Amino acid sequence: TQRILVEVTWDEAVTVAGSPQITVVNGNQSSAGYGNHVLTYTATGSTANRKRFEATSRGLGNTDVLTTPAAIGLNSGTISDTVVGGTTLAASLDISNVVQVHTVLS
């Protein structure tokens, strides 16, 4: 089993409340049947503008290819633009418009 970590970097600080999630799509090239992985926001290792989403103890095949979707799911949480609107202005959830997305397997 492995840990899957995705870091999303915005161009300015954002405030997270609750447990937003990212679903990482597993192409299942290994045919092991592990399926997609839901990663949940974690404050551990997150910074003002870089937020981490992780899942632990996940099964992956050696040839599986993981891809991130186009958006973050709020899962009853919020991600707000800290600089412009405090907690009243929603930050962009469109991952294709953020500065960086990194996926780390360990």
Side-chain angles (χ1 to χ4, degrees):
T1 58
Q2 298 180 338
R3 175 178 73 125
I4 303 170
L5 172 69
V6 171
E7 290 185 339
V8 179
T9 303
W10 282 263
D11 61 356
E12 60 188 34
V14 294
T15 301
V16 178
S19 301
Q21 297 177 328
I22 293 176
T23 299
V24 173
V25 177
N26 181 352
N28 198 30
Q29 287 79 2
S30 68
S31 301
Y34 291 117
N36 298 341
H37 305 282
V38 176
L39 285 61
T40 303
Y41 165 74
T42 178
T44 303
S46 290
T47 64
N49 70 319
R50 179 178 294 146
K51 303 303 179 188
R52 288 183 166 194
F53 298 81
E54 73 175 337
T56 56
S57 301
R58 305 306 300 181
L60 292 172
N62 289 340
T63 58
D64 287 349
V65 175
L66 302 180
T67 56
T68 54
I72 298 171
L74 289 177
N75 188 36
S76 300
T78 60
I79 301 178
S80 305
D81 186 328
T82 306
V83 176
V84 175
T87 59
T88 61
L89 182 64
S92 173
L93 302 179
D94 182 348
I95 295 177
S96 64
N97 288 331
V98 297
V99 177
Q100 295 176 344
V101 177
H102 297 285
T103 304
V104 178
L105 303 175
S106 61

